[in-house]
DNA sequence: ACAAAAGTGTTCCCCCTACACCCATGG
DNA sequence: CCATGGGTGTAGGGGGAACACTTTTGT
């Protein structure tokens, strides 16, 4: 079966910039796959692929992520569309990139079909990347950083229960600098999105109070936007 | 000549959400064309069209704008990509929308070939629109509003020389609310982007000092981002 | 003289910043 | 009792918000 058109057409793909926080390594991680096919076979790349004809762009990323990595996202938004001619050796390929976030509990990867393997990489120690994916990742990191300062980010990156130190650590990892503990706590509590669960985490030494997000209030703040210049 | 592919392909278009301020009518205007062809012939729509195979997305919007309206932009950025199946009756069409700004002096429209005519519409009094263009415009207005509060917007929307009242009016029109004159002036001058030209505008009653933007400083602030919650 | 827009200062309060010590627990 | 991370308060300063009158010009 073949499809014939009067004019040449570009292909349309989607790519996923998926971030997760690794609390053990205190690092921001990004999900990459090793390409199983040409072009760039054996190279590292963002998960993604061609959009089906009757499929929404968002649906396409979710499907591709499922196929290639089986990771479950807790959040997704459109990032940017990259369409420079020549960005793909196969011909004209326009790609819409998405920003995704995952909670630590869902960081497990089952290897899929299209990808040789999928691995979490430290954002600061990335390998060489296929296509213009280095640039896409750069755009994604910028977006995440700016997003964090005017929207409450956290529910999508933290486990359901977490300590204030966890939350602070998430911010420090993303922003790449340290934050004063007292100021951070006062500020974050003032928004009224956090509720103590009553449970404590006993790990080392003094137990830490566990919190969860008030989802209603969280959604409200997300809509309104907040000023969170920590 | 025909082009044959193994799989079906979507079309890719670009659309331009172009804003300009009309100081006479104290209104935010948007550039629309009356479609000269099917589908939606005779309806109002955003300027735009198909991306050529060897053409960057940005280049495509600029070309289409030129062809259809001859308007000269002072600024452009990518807005969002709309790709829902069914958004275009011709088949699968994915469209990347751009946000454009024009200065009042360049608001003149020369009618082009593709469009029956091009007209500036008040954003608050829009006609029925083709495709999902109403939604695209809504996204554009939101972006412009949020952009204004963390980047210095103005150089792209104002004439080369302008009064502080002009600038304030621009902000009021975009944000849709009034701002205290004294606070606005103090805040805007504190950024150090404005320089008095020495000229004054004599229109009614007391003459007003004319200002221009310091382009170097403007570019710097644009890069850094600012906090401008007026 | 009056109408219209330009221009100008101050006070109050809130929030951000900087900063250092005690607490609870495990080993 | 010591090491480790959890948890707390305050003083000072800067900037935002609210607010009203004088100045300059044209008619």
């Amino acid at each position: 079966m073949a499809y014939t058109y009067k004019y040449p057409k570009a292909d349309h793909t989607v790519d996923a910039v998926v971030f997760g926080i690794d609390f053990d390594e205190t690092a921001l991680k990004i999900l990459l796959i090793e390409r199983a096919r040409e072009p760039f076979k054996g190279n590292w790349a963002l998960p993604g692929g061609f959009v089906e004809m009757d499929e929404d762009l968002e649906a396409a990323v979710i499907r591709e992520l499922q196929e290639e990595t089986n990771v479950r996202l807790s959040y997704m938004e459109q990032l940017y569309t990259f369409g420079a001619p020549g960005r793909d050796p196969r011909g004209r390929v326009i790609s819409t990139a998405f920003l995704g976030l995952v909670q630590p509990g869902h960081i497990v990867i089952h290897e899929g079909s299209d990808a040789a393997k999928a691995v979490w990489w430290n954002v600061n120690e990335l390998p060489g990347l296929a296509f213009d994916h280095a640039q896409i990742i750069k755009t994604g990191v910028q977006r995440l950083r700016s997003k964090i300062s005017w929207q409450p980010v956290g529910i999508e990156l933290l486990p359901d229960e977490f300590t204030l130190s966890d939350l602070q650590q998430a911010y420090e990892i993303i922003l790449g600098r340290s934050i004063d503990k007292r100021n951070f706590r006062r500020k974050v509590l003032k928004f009224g999105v956090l509720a103590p669960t009553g449970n404590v985490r006993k790990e080392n030494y003094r137990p830490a109070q566990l919190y969860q997000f008030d989802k209603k209030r969280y959604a409200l703040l997300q809509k309104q936007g907040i000023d969170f210049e920590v």
Side-chain angles (χ1 to χ4, degrees), chain A residues 81-122:
Chain A
T81 297
F82 297 83
R87 58 175 292 281
D88 190 313
R90 290 168 291 192
R92 186 69 191 277
V93 179
I94 296 166
S95 184
T96 299
F98 286 79
L99 173 71
L101 303 176
V102 294
Q103 291 179 303
H106 301 280
I107 279 199
V108 196
I109 293 172
H110 301 122
E111 294 179 15
S113 54
D114 276 16
K117 54 179 170 178
V119 173
W120 287 99
W121 283 79
N122 188 323

Side-chain angles (χ1 to χ4, degrees), chain A residues 126-147:
Chain A
L126 291 178
L129 286 153
F131 308 105
D132 53 357
H133 287 188
Q135 194 200 335
I136 298 181
I137 290 173
K138 205 172 148 193
T139 307
V141 173
Q142 282 172 0
R143 171 75 65 93
L144 181 59
R145 286 214 176 119
S146 92
K147 185 180 177 57

Side-chain angles (χ1 to χ4, degrees), chain A residues 152-160 162 167 171 188 193-195 197 211-216 218:
Chain A
V153 171
I155 199 172
E156 304 92 351
L157 284 167
L158 290 163
D160 294 332
F162 54 89
L167 184 59
Y171 272 82
V188 85
V193 266
L194 293 175
T197 62
Y211 290 82
Q212 61 191 4
F213 283 101
D214 174 340
K215 296 196 177 174
K216 260 190 174 161
Y218 193 89

Side-chain angles (χ1 to χ4, degrees), chain A residues 137-209:
Chain A
I137 290 173
K138 205 172 148 193
T139 307
V141 173
Q142 282 172 0
R143 171 75 65 93
L144 181 59
R145 286 214 176 119
S146 92
K147 185 180 177 57
I148 212 177
S149 60
W150 63 272
Q151 276 199 337
V153 171
I155 199 172
E156 304 92 351
L157 284 167
L158 290 163
D160 294 332
E161 279 195 331
F162 54 89
T163 67
L164 291 181
S165 297
D166 290 340
L167 184 59
Q168 179 173 350
Q169 214 175 106
Y171 272 82
E172 291 181 332
I173 289 170
I174 292 173
L175 294 174
R177 60 185 171 81
S178 57
I179 301 169
D180 182 87
K181 203 201 315 189
R182 287 161 290 187
N183 293 341
F184 180 81
R185 288 174 183 231
R186 187 175 340 106
K187 202 159 186 174
V188 85
L189 289 172
K190 189 162 52 64
F191 284 110
V193 266
L194 293 175
T197 62
N199 305 329
V200 291
R201 177 194 298 165
K202 295 181 112 156
E203 226 171 39
N204 313 311
Y205 317 108
R206 177 170 177 177
Q209 179 58 247

